[in-house]
Amino acid sequence: MENEAQFTVDLGNLMCFNPHHHFPSKPSSREELVKECLEKGTELVQIIANNLFNLPSTESVDGPLIKLPPPTTRLPREKPLPKPKAPTKWEEFAKARGIKNRKRDKLVLDEQSGTWKRRYGYDRANDEENIPIIEAKMTDEPGFDPFAKRLSDKKNRVEKQEKNRMQNLKQAAKVGNLPSHVQLAATALPITGTQAAPKKASKHDLGKVAGIAVTATASGGKFDKKLQGEKPAQQPKKFRKFLPVAEGTGIGSQERSQTERILNSLISKNSHEILNVDKAISMYNVKKEKRKNQKGKSSSTSSKLKPKTKPQKKFSKKGSSNKEKAK
C-alpha cells in the first residue's frame, strides 16, 4: 500500500481520494482499467476503515459507536437553490404598515366551561357552533334566524379565504415560484418552477378524446347522430351483452341454458360441501308423496261432481266385422 500521507481523508463525509494518482489516458484494454479501479477503490475503503477504528468509540448493544467529526469538504448541491418565496397579499400589507408577527399562546380560556382549551382545531375555546342559545338583539327583525346567519357567515369566510389563496398562487406563478405540491399537480409547470409552454393537443389526441366522448353513452354511441365528416371511434369498447327483457322466440331456452351452466359450475366445485345428497333425496320423496295425496283428493272430489250416467260404448270396426261374419 502507498503512503497514507498522500491521501486526503474526510471522515465527516466518509470520503477518501488520492489527488496524485492519474489513470492512463489510453488504457490497453477495458478489463485492465476495471481491475485497476477496483484495486484503488479497495485501497481507499481500507484507509477509511483504518481511520474510523482510530477514533474514540463507545460500547452499545449493537457494537462500538463512533461519532464522526464535522466534514471538511464542501460538496456541490444536487439541485439549484430554491427561489425566494413570493410574498402574499397580507405580507405585503403588513410590511407596508409595519405590522410584526407576534407569537400567540396555543391555549385560551373558554368562557362557557371555564377551562383552558386550544385556540384552533377540534374542541376549541369559544366555539360559536357549540352555543345552543343565541340572545336576540333589539335591532333584529321578526323571523330572523341567527343560526342560519352564522352558517352563511362561515361559508362566506371560507370562500373569501379560498379566493385569496388562488390569488396568491397566481402571483407566485407570475414570479415562477409555486409550491412543490402545486408544481406536481400542474402539468404545464415542471418541478424546477420555470414557466414552460403548454403542449398543443395533436390531431391524434383530439380524435382520441372525441372517440371517448362519443362512446360514453349507455348505447356506446350507437344511436347518436353523426356529424358531417365524423369518423368512427378509434378505440371502440366492448360492452357486455345481456338477454332482452321481453321474452321472444328462443329467449326462454337461452335463459334456461345460462342458469343451468351457472348451476353446473357451482355444483361441480366441491359438490360434497355444497349439496347434501341424503337431505335432497328425503325432500324429493316428501314432495312426491304430497303430490300423490293432492292428486287423490282432487280425483275424489272430481268423481263426486261427475254425472252418474255411463257413457255409451263405441263399437270398433273389428267388432262390427265379427258380428257380420257370425250372421
Side-chain angles (χ1 to χ4, degrees), residues 48-83:
I48 293 173
N50 296 338
N51 288 319
L52 287 176
F53 279 101
N54 292 332
L55 295 175
S57 61
T58 56
E59 294 295 332
S60 66
V61 180
D62 299 327
L65 294 178
I66 299 172
K67 186 177 180 181
L68 296 177
T72 57
T73 306
R74 297 185 64 182
L75 299 176
R77 283 178 60 91
E78 182 184 359
K79 299 185 184 305
L81 289 171
K83 296 181 179 180

mmCIF file of all heavy atoms in Angstrom, residues 48-83:
data_model
loop_
_atom_site.group_PDB
_atom_site.id
_atom_site.type_symbol
_atom_site.label_atom_id
_atom_site.label_comp_id
_atom_site.label_asym_id
_atom_site.label_seq_id
_atom_site.Cartn_x
_atom_site.Cartn_y
_atom_site.Cartn_z
ATOM 1 N N ILE A 48 -10.182 4.379 4.907
ATOM 2 C CA ILE A 48 -11.294 4.954 5.677
ATOM 3 C C ILE A 48 -11.566 4.086 6.909
ATOM 4 O O ILE A 48 -11.781 4.598 8.029
ATOM 5 C CB ILE A 48 -12.553 5.075 4.795
ATOM 6 C CG1 ILE A 48 -12.331 6.118 3.698
ATOM 7 C CG2 ILE A 48 -13.771 5.447 5.633
ATOM 8 C CD1 ILE A 48 -13.454 6.189 2.690
ATOM 9 N N ALA A 49 -11.530 2.752 6.738
ATOM 10 C CA ALA A 49 -11.778 1.851 7.868
ATOM 11 C C ALA A 49 -10.690 1.995 8.935
ATOM 12 O O ALA A 49 -10.997 2.005 10.138
ATOM 13 C CB ALA A 49 -11.865 0.417 7.369
ATOM 14 N N ASN A 50 -9.443 2.122 8.516
ATOM 15 C CA ASN A 50 -8.357 2.287 9.493
ATOM 16 C C ASN A 50 -8.528 3.569 10.298
ATOM 17 O O ASN A 50 -8.320 3.582 11.523
ATOM 18 C CB ASN A 50 -7.006 2.283 8.773
ATOM 19 C CG ASN A 50 -6.730 0.947 8.108
ATOM 20 O OD1 ASN A 50 -7.298 -0.073 8.489
ATOM 21 N ND2 ASN A 50 -5.851 0.958 7.105
ATOM 22 N N ASN A 51 -8.901 4.668 9.636
ATOM 23 C CA ASN A 51 -9.072 5.939 10.348
ATOM 24 C C ASN A 51 -10.291 5.899 11.282
ATOM 25 O O ASN A 51 -10.277 6.535 12.341
ATOM 26 C CB ASN A 51 -9.235 7.082 9.355
ATOM 27 C CG ASN A 51 -7.926 7.400 8.645
ATOM 28 O OD1 ASN A 51 -6.863 7.413 9.269
ATOM 29 N ND2 ASN A 51 -7.985 7.634 7.348
ATOM 30 N N LEU A 52 -11.341 5.153 10.896
ATOM 31 C CA LEU A 52 -12.517 5.052 11.773
ATOM 32 C C LEU A 52 -12.192 4.294 13.050
ATOM 33 O O LEU A 52 -12.648 4.661 14.142
ATOM 34 C CB LEU A 52 -13.660 4.348 11.025
ATOM 35 C CG LEU A 52 -14.371 5.151 9.931
ATOM 36 C CD1 LEU A 52 -15.407 4.287 9.221
ATOM 37 C CD2 LEU A 52 -15.047 6.384 10.520
ATOM 38 N N PHE A 53 -11.390 3.247 12.944
ATOM 39 C CA PHE A 53 -11.032 2.471 14.133
ATOM 40 C C PHE A 53 -10.065 3.219 15.042
ATOM 41 O O PHE A 53 -9.919 2.861 16.205
ATOM 42 C CB PHE A 53 -10.429 1.121 13.726
ATOM 43 C CG PHE A 53 -11.470 0.091 13.380
ATOM 44 C CD1 PHE A 53 -11.756 -0.197 12.059
ATOM 45 C CD2 PHE A 53 -12.168 -0.578 14.381
ATOM 46 C CE1 PHE A 53 -12.715 -1.138 11.732
ATOM 47 C CE2 PHE A 53 -13.127 -1.523 14.058
ATOM 48 C CZ PHE A 53 -13.409 -1.805 12.738
ATOM 49 N N ASN A 54 -9.431 4.271 14.545
ATOM 50 C CA ASN A 54 -8.549 5.078 15.387
ATOM 51 C C ASN A 54 -9.320 6.109 16.210
ATOM 52 O O ASN A 54 -8.766 6.679 17.160
ATOM 53 C CB ASN A 54 -7.505 5.790 14.522
ATOM 54 C CG ASN A 54 -6.521 4.812 13.908
ATOM 55 O OD1 ASN A 54 -6.262 3.730 14.465
ATOM 56 N ND2 ASN A 54 -5.976 5.161 12.750
ATOM 57 N N LEU A 55 -10.607 6.371 15.854
ATOM 58 C CA LEU A 55 -11.404 7.344 16.604
ATOM 59 C C LEU A 55 -11.908 6.737 17.907
ATOM 60 O O LEU A 55 -12.067 5.517 18.022
ATOM 61 C CB LEU A 55 -12.597 7.804 15.752
ATOM 62 C CG LEU A 55 -12.282 8.584 14.480
ATOM 63 C CD1 LEU A 55 -13.568 8.859 13.698
ATOM 64 C CD2 LEU A 55 -11.593 9.902 14.813
ATOM 65 N N PRO A 56 -12.188 7.574 18.926
ATOM 66 C CA PRO A 56 -12.733 7.039 20.180
ATOM 67 C C PRO A 56 -14.152 6.499 19.969
ATOM 68 O O PRO A 56 -14.955 7.094 19.253
ATOM 69 C CB PRO A 56 -12.729 8.248 21.119
ATOM 70 C CG PRO A 56 -12.688 9.435 20.232
ATOM 71 C CD PRO A 56 -11.931 9.027 19.004
ATOM 72 N N SER A 57 -14.464 5.391 20.595
ATOM 73 C CA SER A 57 -15.755 4.723 20.408
ATOM 74 C C SER A 57 -16.390 4.434 21.752
ATOM 75 O O SER A 57 -15.714 4.410 22.798
ATOM 76 C CB SER A 57 -15.579 3.421 19.621
ATOM 77 O OG SER A 57 -14.722 2.526 20.329
ATOM 78 N N THR A 58 -17.699 4.194 21.746
ATOM 79 C CA THR A 58 -18.471 3.821 22.939
ATOM 80 C C THR A 58 -19.174 2.504 22.652
ATOM 81 O O THR A 58 -19.671 2.280 21.546
ATOM 82 C CB THR A 58 -19.509 4.899 23.279
ATOM 83 O OG1 THR A 58 -20.360 5.109 22.136
ATOM 84 C CG2 THR A 58 -18.835 6.200 23.648
ATOM 85 N N GLU A 59 -19.213 1.652 23.679
ATOM 86 C CA GLU A 59 -19.823 0.342 23.515
ATOM 87 C C GLU A 59 -21.341 0.448 23.642
ATOM 88 O O GLU A 59 -21.863 1.233 24.423
ATOM 89 C CB GLU A 59 -19.279 -0.642 24.563
ATOM 90 C CG GLU A 59 -17.809 -0.972 24.395
ATOM 91 C CD GLU A 59 -17.534 -1.726 23.100
ATOM 92 O OE1 GLU A 59 -18.450 -2.427 22.623
ATOM 93 O OE2 GLU A 59 -16.416 -1.598 22.581
ATOM 94 N N SER A 60 -22.043 -0.351 22.824
ATOM 95 C CA SER A 60 -23.504 -0.414 22.872
ATOM 96 C C SER A 60 -23.935 -1.852 22.590
ATOM 97 O O SER A 60 -23.094 -2.745 22.420
ATOM 98 C CB SER A 60 -24.121 0.545 21.850
ATOM 99 O OG SER A 60 -23.810 0.117 20.539
ATOM 100 N N VAL A 61 -25.237 -2.078 22.575
ATOM 101 C CA VAL A 61 -25.753 -3.426 22.325
ATOM 102 C C VAL A 61 -25.427 -3.876 20.914
ATOM 103 O O VAL A 61 -25.097 -5.053 20.673
ATOM 104 C CB VAL A 61 -27.283 -3.441 22.559
ATOM 105 C CG1 VAL A 61 -27.848 -4.835 22.304
ATOM 106 C CG2 VAL A 61 -27.607 -2.991 23.973
ATOM 107 N N ASP A 62 -25.499 -2.958 19.972
ATOM 108 C CA ASP A 62 -25.222 -3.290 18.576
ATOM 109 C C ASP A 62 -23.742 -3.330 18.258
ATOM 110 O O ASP A 62 -23.363 -3.789 17.173
ATOM 111 C CB ASP A 62 -25.903 -2.268 17.658
ATOM 112 C CG ASP A 62 -27.406 -2.266 17.828
ATOM 113 O OD1 ASP A 62 -27.965 -3.343 18.110
ATOM 114 O OD2 ASP A 62 -28.025 -1.193 17.689
ATOM 115 N N GLY A 63 -22.889 -2.845 19.148
ATOM 116 C CA GLY A 63 -21.461 -2.826 18.894
ATOM 117 C C GLY A 63 -20.869 -1.461 19.196
ATOM 118 O O GLY A 63 -21.537 -0.578 19.764
ATOM 119 N N PRO A 64 -19.614 -1.223 18.821
ATOM 120 C CA PRO A 64 -18.999 0.086 19.086
ATOM 121 C C PRO A 64 -19.592 1.183 18.207
ATOM 122 O O PRO A 64 -19.839 0.980 17.019
ATOM 123 C CB PRO A 64 -17.516 -0.146 18.748
ATOM 124 C CG PRO A 64 -17.505 -1.311 17.819
ATOM 125 C CD PRO A 64 -18.661 -2.173 18.196
ATOM 126 N N LEU A 65 -19.840 2.344 18.823
ATOM 127 C CA LEU A 65 -20.375 3.506 18.118
ATOM 128 C C LEU A 65 -19.308 4.582 18.062
ATOM 129 O O LEU A 65 -18.615 4.845 19.052
ATOM 130 C CB LEU A 65 -21.618 4.048 18.821
ATOM 131 C CG LEU A 65 -22.848 3.134 18.833
ATOM 132 C CD1 LEU A 65 -23.971 3.808 19.612
ATOM 133 C CD2 LEU A 65 -23.302 2.815 17.426
ATOM 134 N N ILE A 66 -19.198 5.212 16.870
ATOM 135 C CA ILE A 66 -18.187 6.258 16.643
ATOM 136 C C ILE A 66 -18.899 7.522 16.221
ATOM 137 O O ILE A 66 -19.777 7.492 15.349
ATOM 138 C CB ILE A 66 -17.167 5.814 15.566
ATOM 139 C CG1 ILE A 66 -16.421 4.564 16.007
ATOM 140 C CG2 ILE A 66 -16.182 6.934 15.271
ATOM 141 C CD1 ILE A 66 -15.553 3.964 14.931
ATOM 142 N N LYS A 67 -18.563 8.627 16.805
ATOM 143 C CA LYS A 67 -19.098 9.923 16.418
ATOM 144 C C LYS A 67 -18.185 10.531 15.361
ATOM 145 O O LYS A 67 -17.000 10.782 15.620
ATOM 146 C CB LYS A 67 -19.207 10.837 17.630
ATOM 147 C CG LYS A 67 -19.897 12.147 17.326
ATOM 148 C CD LYS A 67 -20.049 12.987 18.570
ATOM 149 C CE LYS A 67 -20.753 14.300 18.243
ATOM 150 N NZ LYS A 67 -20.901 15.150 19.458
ATOM 151 N N LEU A 68 -18.744 10.758 14.174
ATOM 152 C CA LEU A 68 -17.938 11.275 13.074
ATOM 153 C C LEU A 68 -17.624 12.744 13.289
ATOM 154 O O LEU A 68 -18.462 13.508 13.797
ATOM 155 C CB LEU A 68 -18.685 11.104 11.746
ATOM 156 C CG LEU A 68 -18.960 9.668 11.293
ATOM 157 C CD1 LEU A 68 -19.769 9.673 10.006
ATOM 158 C CD2 LEU A 68 -17.666 8.903 11.097
ATOM 159 N N PRO A 69 -16.431 13.187 12.907
ATOM 160 C CA PRO A 69 -16.088 14.613 13.009
ATOM 161 C C PRO A 69 -16.841 15.419 11.960
ATOM 162 O O PRO A 69 -17.411 14.856 11.009
ATOM 163 C CB PRO A 69 -14.584 14.627 12.748
ATOM 164 C CG PRO A 69 -14.315 13.416 11.931
ATOM 165 C CD PRO A 69 -15.303 12.382 12.382
ATOM 166 N N PRO A 70 -16.885 16.725 12.070
ATOM 167 C CA PRO A 70 -17.570 17.537 11.050
ATOM 168 C C PRO A 70 -16.858 17.420 9.706
ATOM 169 O O PRO A 70 -15.628 17.301 9.644
ATOM 170 C CB PRO A 70 -17.489 18.961 11.601
ATOM 171 C CG PRO A 70 -16.390 18.936 12.606
ATOM 172 C CD PRO A 70 -16.361 17.561 13.173
ATOM 173 N N PRO A 71 -17.617 17.460 8.588
ATOM 174 C CA PRO A 71 -16.982 17.319 7.263
ATOM 175 C C PRO A 71 -16.114 18.526 6.928
ATOM 176 O O PRO A 71 -16.382 19.654 7.343
ATOM 177 C CB PRO A 71 -18.182 17.208 6.314
ATOM 178 C CG PRO A 71 -19.321 17.826 7.045
ATOM 179 C CD PRO A 71 -19.083 17.577 8.494
ATOM 180 N N THR A 72 -15.066 18.256 6.185
ATOM 181 C CA THR A 72 -14.130 19.306 5.773
ATOM 182 C C THR A 72 -14.249 19.653 4.291
ATOM 183 O O THR A 72 -13.775 20.711 3.873
ATOM 184 C CB THR A 72 -12.687 18.856 6.063
ATOM 185 O OG1 THR A 72 -12.434 17.619 5.392
ATOM 186 C CG2 THR A 72 -12.464 18.673 7.553
ATOM 187 N N THR A 73 -14.865 18.796 3.501
ATOM 188 C CA THR A 73 -15.003 19.021 2.060
ATOM 189 C C THR A 73 -16.408 19.531 1.764
ATOM 190 O O THR A 73 -17.396 18.946 2.210
ATOM 191 C CB THR A 73 -14.752 17.720 1.280
ATOM 192 O OG1 THR A 73 -13.479 17.203 1.666
ATOM 193 C CG2 THR A 73 -14.766 17.986 -0.217
ATOM 194 N N ARG A 74 -16.489 20.639 1.040
ATOM 195 C CA ARG A 74 -17.778 21.206 0.647
ATOM 196 C C ARG A 74 -18.216 20.566 -0.653
ATOM 197 O O ARG A 74 -17.572 20.717 -1.699
ATOM 198 C CB ARG A 74 -17.669 22.717 0.495
ATOM 199 C CG ARG A 74 -17.311 23.450 1.790
ATOM 200 C CD ARG A 74 -17.346 24.945 1.584
ATOM 201 N NE ARG A 74 -18.692 25.413 1.258
ATOM 202 C CZ ARG A 74 -18.997 26.685 0.991
ATOM 203 N NH1 ARG A 74 -18.032 27.623 1.020
ATOM 204 N NH2 ARG A 74 -20.224 27.026 0.711
ATOM 205 N N LEU A 75 -19.325 19.835 -0.589
ATOM 206 C CA LEU A 75 -19.832 19.138 -1.763
ATOM 207 C C LEU A 75 -20.859 20.018 -2.481
ATOM 208 O O LEU A 75 -21.603 20.771 -1.838
ATOM 209 C CB LEU A 75 -20.487 17.813 -1.358
ATOM 210 C CG LEU A 75 -19.560 16.799 -0.666
ATOM 211 C CD1 LEU A 75 -20.354 15.577 -0.241
ATOM 212 C CD2 LEU A 75 -18.424 16.396 -1.597
ATOM 213 N N PRO A 76 -20.951 19.930 -3.787
ATOM 214 C CA PRO A 76 -21.938 20.749 -4.524
ATOM 215 C C PRO A 76 -23.363 20.226 -4.294
ATOM 216 O O PRO A 76 -23.582 19.055 -3.984
ATOM 217 C CB PRO A 76 -21.511 20.586 -5.986
ATOM 218 C CG PRO A 76 -20.790 19.285 -6.019
ATOM 219 C CD PRO A 76 -20.104 19.130 -4.695
ATOM 220 N N ARG A 77 -24.343 21.116 -4.456
ATOM 221 C CA ARG A 77 -25.744 20.742 -4.331
ATOM 222 C C ARG A 77 -26.188 19.918 -5.533
ATOM 223 O O ARG A 77 -25.699 20.110 -6.656
ATOM 224 C CB ARG A 77 -26.633 21.993 -4.247
ATOM 225 C CG ARG A 77 -26.626 22.674 -2.901
ATOM 226 C CD ARG A 77 -27.504 23.910 -2.953
ATOM 227 N NE ARG A 77 -28.879 23.579 -3.291
ATOM 228 C CZ ARG A 77 -29.819 23.310 -2.398
ATOM 229 N NH1 ARG A 77 -29.525 23.328 -1.108
ATOM 230 N NH2 ARG A 77 -31.051 23.036 -2.778
ATOM 231 N N GLU A 78 -27.133 18.994 -5.263
ATOM 232 C CA GLU A 78 -27.687 18.213 -6.367
ATOM 233 C C GLU A 78 -28.648 19.049 -7.198
ATOM 234 O O GLU A 78 -28.680 18.937 -8.417
ATOM 235 C CB GLU A 78 -28.423 16.985 -5.810
ATOM 236 C CG GLU A 78 -28.998 16.090 -6.890
ATOM 237 C CD GLU A 78 -29.802 14.945 -6.311
ATOM 238 O OE1 GLU A 78 -29.875 14.855 -5.072
ATOM 239 O OE2 GLU A 78 -30.355 14.166 -7.095
ATOM 240 N N LYS A 79 -29.458 19.909 -6.536
ATOM 241 C CA LYS A 79 -30.445 20.735 -7.218
ATOM 242 C C LYS A 79 -30.120 22.207 -6.984
ATOM 243 O O LYS A 79 -29.431 22.559 -6.022
ATOM 244 C CB LYS A 79 -31.854 20.412 -6.706
ATOM 245 C CG LYS A 79 -32.283 18.978 -6.950
ATOM 246 C CD LYS A 79 -33.711 18.756 -6.543
ATOM 247 C CE LYS A 79 -34.118 17.292 -6.689
ATOM 248 N NZ LYS A 79 -33.893 16.777 -8.028
ATOM 249 N N PRO A 80 -30.615 23.095 -7.842
ATOM 250 C CA PRO A 80 -30.335 24.529 -7.652
ATOM 251 C C PRO A 80 -31.011 25.053 -6.388
ATOM 252 O O PRO A 80 -31.946 24.465 -5.853
ATOM 253 C CB PRO A 80 -30.927 25.176 -8.907
ATOM 254 C CG PRO A 80 -31.946 24.201 -9.394
ATOM 255 C CD PRO A 80 -31.419 22.842 -9.045
ATOM 256 N N LEU A 81 -30.512 26.191 -5.921
ATOM 257 C CA LEU A 81 -31.069 26.808 -4.724
ATOM 258 C C LEU A 81 -32.512 27.228 -4.968
ATOM 259 O O LEU A 81 -32.857 27.710 -6.052
ATOM 260 C CB LEU A 81 -30.232 28.032 -4.330
ATOM 261 C CG LEU A 81 -28.837 27.756 -3.767
ATOM 262 C CD1 LEU A 81 -28.066 29.043 -3.637
ATOM 263 C CD2 LEU A 81 -28.942 27.070 -2.419
ATOM 264 N N PRO A 82 -33.375 27.032 -3.983
ATOM 265 C CA PRO A 82 -34.777 27.436 -4.182
ATOM 266 C C PRO A 82 -34.905 28.943 -4.264
ATOM 267 O O PRO A 82 -34.196 29.703 -3.587
ATOM 268 C CB PRO A 82 -35.480 26.879 -2.934
ATOM 269 C CG PRO A 82 -34.402 26.751 -1.906
ATOM 270 C CD PRO A 82 -33.149 26.432 -2.658
ATOM 271 N N LYS A 83 -35.828 29.387 -5.107
ATOM 272 C CA LYS A 83 -36.056 30.815 -5.239
ATOM 273 C C LYS A 83 -36.794 31.350 -4.020
ATOM 274 O O LYS A 83 -37.533 30.607 -3.367
ATOM 275 C CB LYS A 83 -36.868 31.101 -6.502
ATOM 276 C CG LYS A 83 -36.143 30.728 -7.781
ATOM 277 C CD LYS A 83 -37.000 31.055 -8.991
ATOM 278 C CE LYS A 83 -36.267 30.693 -10.275
ATOM 279 N NZ LYS A 83 -37.090 31.006 -11.466
#
